[in-house]
Amino acid sequence: MKRKTKGLAAILLMLALCLTLTSGVSWAADGDGAVKEALHYWYDLEIDPGDQPADSAHTWVKLWVLADVDENGDHWPALHTGSVALGVETGGNLYGDADFCFLPETGYSTTTFQAAEDDAESGFTGGESYVGFTWYSSFGEELEQDASGRQLLGRLQLPFGNNGSQGEELKENILILPFRQTVTGSRLEGEIPTASPEVQEELREIIVNTWRSIREDNKDLGYYQGFYLNEEGMQNRVDIGCRWRANLLRVVSYDPKDALQIKLYPRQEDGSYGAAPRYILTLAGTAVGQGQTSVSVPFADSTYADTEAGMEIQANALPEGTYRLEIVKQSHVRAVCSGVTVAGEELFPEIAGQRIVLPCGDVDGNGHIGQQDRGVLTARGRYGHKAAEKTAERPEGEPYDLDGDGLVNQKDLAILIAASNYGKNDLIFTFGDDGK
C-alpha cells in the first residue's frame, strides 16, 4: 500500500525549515525522536526532448527525488522538504544570469540559501556555476509519489540551447555541490568560531539540517538532507543521494593541462597495501586551459595500467576486494582513500558521487604545503619568469606554474598561500574496516 503524508503538516514543516535557513532560528528534526534512515532517497535528472521551452535559447533539466522500495514492497514516504545545490560545469560563469534558475513544479515552492541580504540563489565557485535552494511541498491535499516512487520537483533552467539532443552528455556536467562550498554554507561555517555558545548551536543545527557530512576530516563528503512525516506525524530526517552520477567522483584541482592519476593498491592478506600501486588510471590533461578545474573520474568506463603484468585492462577486470586509492596530481597534495572496495560492477561506492578538492602548492612533493614550498616557488631566477617548457624527459613540466598560465608569478603565490591550500597535508580518508 502506498504511504501518504498530510499536506498541512508539510506546510508546518516547510515553515520551520525556512525559518532555520533564512533567519537563524534553530529547530530540531523531532529532537530525540528523530530517526536517521539509511540511504533510501536519490536526486535524479532527466532531459526530456518533449519537455523543453519553446525557444531554442534555453534548456530544461527535470529534477526528481526517487524513493527506494522497503522490505514490504512499498516505496519510502514522499518527502515534504529538502535542500540541494546543483553545480553546472558548462556555459561559463552564469552567476547573475536571471535565466539560470530553478522552476519548481506545481505544488512545490523554493527558498534560496540565504545567510545575508546580499546572498542570491545562484553563485560561482571552483569553476562551476550553481543554483542552491530549499524546496518544500505546498500541496493542500495528501502528498504522494507516482507509481515509480518519484516526485518531480521542477526544472533547472540553463541559459543556453540544447533541446534534449545531448541529454546524457549534458547531465554529466551537472553535479551536487556540497553545502559548505556554497556562499551560504561557507559563511555559516565561518561564523561558528566567533559566535556565542548559543549561536554556535543554532548555526550547527542549520548546517546539519541542510547537509550531513560523513567524514569529519572532509566535510565536503556527505549528503543533502530531506524530511518526511511518518505515520505518527513525527518528522524524520534522511539523506538524499545522487543517482545520475552514481559512479563518478569529482576532483577539483588547478591547471587543467596537467594529468590526474588514480593509483590503486590492493589489500594483501596481512592487511597491508604494499609499497607500489598495482593499477593506475591516468586522466590526460587538456590541450589548453588555466586556473581551477573540475574533472570526473569514470571508474567503470576507463582503462587501467596493470603495472605487474605490463598490460592494460578494462574496469571489469579489476579484481574484487579492498583497495587503497590515491589521487595524485603534480603540485598538489594527495588524497588517500583506504578501505574502498570493488564488488562486481560496483567500483568504489564509498567515494562515488562525491567531490574532493586537492589543495594546491606542494611544489616540493613532500605531502605538505608550507614555507618550504613558498621558498622554492619564489626562488631567484624562477619567480617572475616564464615556466619551463615541457620536455620528453619531463612531459608534465615543472611544478611551479600552479595555475597553468605559463608564468611563475604572484598569481601562483596567491594560490599557494590561500587559506584553502597553505598548511595542508595529504588528505587521508578511511572507510570500512580501515576506519575502525
Side-chain angles (χ1 to χ4, degrees):
M1 181 178 67
K2 184 179 294 296
R3 294 174 176 158
K4 300 181 180 179
T5 45
K6 300 295 183 180
L8 176 60
I11 295 173
L12 294 176
L13 178 61
M14 170 273 292
L15 290 174
L17 188 56
C18 288
L19 285 173
T20 300
L21 291 175
T22 57
S23 67
V25 177
S26 176
W27 73 291
D30 197 40
D32 294 337
V35 177
K36 170 62 67 176
E37 306 286 355
L39 190 58
H40 296 299
Y41 296 89
W42 309 84
Y43 283 119
D44 201 6
L45 297 180
E46 178 188 7
I47 300 181
D48 182 357
D51 181 35
Q52 294 294 324
D55 64 78
S56 59
H58 301 85
T59 299
W60 284 345
V61 184
K62 291 181 178 178
L63 177 65
W64 299 84
V65 170
L66 312 181
D68 278 347
V69 174
D70 65 15
E71 66 278 4
N72 297 318
D74 299 324
H75 289 287
W76 284 83
L79 298 183
H80 292 95
T81 188
S83 299
V84 70
L86 297 172
V88 180
E89 299 176 301
T90 187
N93 187 345
L94 306 178
Y95 176 67
D97 190 329
D99 290 336
F100 176 52
C101 59
F102 184 75
L103 307 173
E105 181 74 352
T106 301
Y108 290 90
S109 299
T110 62
T111 182
T112 61
F113 289 162
Q114 287 185 314
E117 291 183 358
D118 59 342
D119 283 345
E121 177 183 23
S122 63
F124 187 75
T125 180
E128 298 155 0
S129 307
Y130 71 87
V131 172
F133 54 91
T134 293
W135 55 268
Y136 51 90
S137 166
S138 53
F139 285 110
E141 302 297 329
E142 293 184 336
L143 174 64
E144 61 180 272
Q145 305 128 310
D146 66 15
S148 301
R150 303 191 306 171
Q151 296 172 251
L152 177 59
L153 303 180
R155 293 159 181 81
L156 175 66
Q157 178 171 278
L158 303 175
F160 47 81
N162 176 70
N163 291 328
S165 60
Q166 297 177 333
E168 292 305 315
E169 180 180 343
L170 180 58
K171 280 168 55 177
E172 293 303 326
N173 287 289
I174 302 174
L175 68 153
I176 299 290
L177 187 71
F179 181 56
R180 68 193 301 269
Q181 293 186 25
T182 67
V183 171
T184 302
S186 175
R187 179 172 295 169
L188 292 176
E189 284 211 341
E191 291 175 354
I192 290 177
T194 58
S196 66
E198 295 79 8
V199 174
Q200 285 184 349
E201 185 62 26
E202 292 178 356
L203 293 174
R204 292 190 180 100
E205 286 275 356
I206 296 171
I207 293 172
V208 77
N209 285 334
T210 307
W211 173 268
R212 183 176 74 87
S213 300
I214 59 176
R215 300 295 306 173
E216 189 61 33
D217 49 6
N218 186 350
K219 294 181 180 180
D220 287 340
L221 299 180
Y223 302 99
Y224 277 103
Q225 301 297 280
F227 295 80
Y228 71 84
L229 298 182
N230 63 23
E231 294 176 352
E232 288 73 40
M234 302 177 69
Q235 301 168 3
N236 287 52
R237 178 161 57 92
V238 296
D239 297 335
I240 309 177
C242 175
R243 178 57 57 86
W244 79 94
R245 303 179 65 88
N247 290 316
L248 292 180
L249 166 72
R250 299 303 291 186
V251 179
V252 178
S253 62
Y254 279 87
D255 192 355
K257 297 188 299 298
D258 280 348
L260 182 77
Q261 284 194 324
I262 307 296
K263 298 183 177 181
L264 301 176
Y265 301 73
R267 188 161 70 182
Q268 310 299 315
E269 292 184 359
D270 64 358
S272 68
Y273 287 102
R278 173 66 189 271
Y279 307 102
I280 300 177
L281 165 60
T282 300
L283 299 176
T286 59
V288 296
Q290 58 182 275
Q292 200 169 33
T293 183
S294 176
V295 299
S296 62
V297 183
F299 291 120
D301 300 320
S302 297
T303 300
Y304 298 76
D306 185 335
T307 61
E308 290 188 10
M311 59 183 293
E312 292 186 340
I313 64 170
Q314 300 301 311
N316 58 11
L318 286 174
E320 293 192 352
T322 304
Y323 290 80
R324 184 175 79 231
L325 182 151
E326 295 184 359
I327 305 171
V328 180
K329 186 172 183 177
Q330 178 175 256
S331 308
H332 297 72
V333 296
R334 301 174 302 161
V336 181
C337 307
S338 63
V340 295
T341 58
V342 172
E345 297 182 355
E346 193 170 25
L347 276 62
F348 316 117
E350 296 81 4
I351 56 175
Q354 302 295 339
R355 189 172 188 264
I356 293 178
V357 181
L358 295 180
C360 181
D362 183 18
V363 296
D364 63 3
N366 69 350
H368 172 75
I369 302 172
Q371 184 59 36
Q372 183 170 308
D373 298 289
R374 182 172 183 169
V376 173
L377 181 77
T378 58
R380 181 176 299 178
R382 176 178 298 130
Y383 191 72
H385 294 76
K386 288 185 177 181
E389 297 288 339
K390 296 182 179 181
T391 65
E393 292 75 22
R394 186 157 188 162
E396 71 277 14
E398 293 185 343
Y400 315 113
D401 178 18
L402 302 185
D403 64 354
D405 67 352
L407 301 171
V408 181
N409 56 21
Q410 68 272 16
K411 292 197 296 182
D412 302 294
L413 179 59
I415 293 172
L416 189 151
I417 65 176
S420 57
N421 296 317
Y422 195 78
K424 297 297 189 294
N425 300 305
D426 285 342
L427 306 177
I428 307 297
F429 312 118
T430 55
F431 300 90
D433 293 341
D434 286 4
K436 293 181 178 180

Coordinates of all heavy atoms in Angstrom, one line a residue, residues 372-385 400 408:
Q372 N 58.5 26.0 3.1 CA 59.5 25.5 2.2 C 59.0 25.6 0.7 O 59.8 25.9 -0.2 CB 59.8 24.0 2.6 CG 60.9 23.4 1.7 CD 61.3 22.0 2.3 OE1 61.6 21.9 3.5 NE2 61.3 21.0 1.4
D373 N 57.7 25.3 0.5 CA 57.2 25.4 -0.9 C 57.2 26.8 -1.3 O 57.5 27.1 -2.5 CB 55.8 24.9 -0.9 CG 55.7 23.4 -0.6 OD1 56.1 22.6 -1.4 OD2 55.2 23.1 0.5
R374 N 56.9 27.7 -0.4 CA 56.9 29.1 -0.8 C 58.3 29.6 -1.2 O 58.5 30.3 -2.1 CB 56.4 30.0 0.4 CG 56.3 31.5 0.2 CD 55.7 32.2 1.3 NE 55.5 33.6 1.0 CZ 54.8 34.5 1.8 NH1 54.1 34.0 2.8 NH2 54.8 35.7 1.5
G375 N 59.3 29.1 -0.4 CA 60.7 29.5 -0.7 C 61.1 28.9 -2.1 O 61.8 29.6 -2.8
V376 N 60.7 27.7 -2.4 CA 61.1 27.1 -3.7 C 60.4 27.9 -4.8 O 61.0 28.1 -5.9 CB 60.7 25.6 -3.7 CG1 60.9 25.0 -5.1 CG2 61.5 24.9 -2.6
L377 N 59.1 28.2 -4.6 CA 58.4 28.9 -5.7 C 58.9 30.2 -6.0 O 59.0 30.6 -7.2 CB 56.9 29.0 -5.3 CG 56.0 29.6 -6.3 CD1 55.6 28.7 -7.4 CD2 54.7 30.1 -5.6
T378 N 59.4 31.0 -5.0 CA 59.8 32.4 -5.2 C 61.3 32.5 -5.3 O 61.9 33.6 -5.2 CB 59.3 33.2 -4.0 OG1 59.8 32.7 -2.8 CG2 57.8 33.2 -3.9
A379 N 62.0 31.4 -5.6 CA 63.5 31.4 -5.7 C 63.9 32.3 -6.8 O 63.2 32.5 -7.9 CB 64.0 30.0 -5.9
R380 N 65.0 33.0 -6.7 CA 65.6 33.9 -7.7 C 65.8 33.1 -9.0 O 66.3 32.0 -8.9 CB 66.8 34.5 -7.2 CG 67.5 35.5 -8.2 CD 68.7 36.1 -7.6 NE 68.4 36.9 -6.4 CZ 69.3 37.6 -5.7 NH1 70.6 37.5 -6.0 NH2 68.9 38.3 -4.6
G381 N 65.5 33.7 -10.1 CA 65.6 33.0 -11.4 C 64.4 32.2 -11.8 O 64.4 31.7 -12.9
R382 N 63.5 32.1 -10.9 CA 62.3 31.3 -11.2 C 61.0 32.2 -11.1 O 60.2 32.3 -12.0 CB 62.1 30.1 -10.2 CG 60.8 29.3 -10.4 CD 60.8 28.1 -9.5 NE 61.8 27.2 -9.8 CZ 62.7 26.7 -8.8 NH1 62.5 27.1 -7.6 NH2 63.6 25.9 -9.2
Y383 N 60.9 32.9 -9.9 CA 59.8 33.7 -9.7 C 59.8 35.0 -10.6 O 60.9 35.6 -10.8 CB 59.7 34.2 -8.2 CG 58.5 34.9 -7.8 CD1 57.3 34.1 -7.7 CD2 58.4 36.2 -7.6 CE1 56.1 34.7 -7.3 CE2 57.2 36.8 -7.2 CZ 56.1 36.1 -7.0 OH 54.9 36.7 -6.7
G384 N 58.7 35.3 -11.3 CA 58.7 36.4 -12.2 C 59.1 36.0 -13.6 O 59.3 36.9 -14.4
H385 N 59.3 34.8 -13.9 CA 59.8 34.3 -15.2 C 58.8 33.4 -15.8 O 57.9 32.9 -15.2 CB 61.2 33.7 -15.1 CG 62.2 34.6 -14.7 ND1 62.4 35.0 -13.4 CD2 63.2 35.2 -15.4 CE1 63.4 35.8 -13.3 NE2 64.0 35.9 -14.5
Y400 N 56.0 24.5 -10.7 CA 55.9 25.8 -10.1 C 54.8 26.7 -10.7 O 54.3 27.6 -10.0 CB 57.2 26.6 -10.2 CG 58.4 25.7 -9.9 CD1 59.3 25.3 -10.8 CD2 58.5 25.2 -8.6 CE1 60.3 24.4 -10.5 CE2 59.6 24.3 -8.2 CZ 60.5 23.9 -9.2 OH 61.5 23.1 -8.9
V408 N 55.5 32.0 -13.7 CA 55.6 31.7 -12.3 C 55.6 33.1 -11.6 O 56.6 33.8 -11.7 CB 56.8 30.9 -11.9 CG1 56.9 30.7 -10.4 CG2 56.9 29.6 -12.7

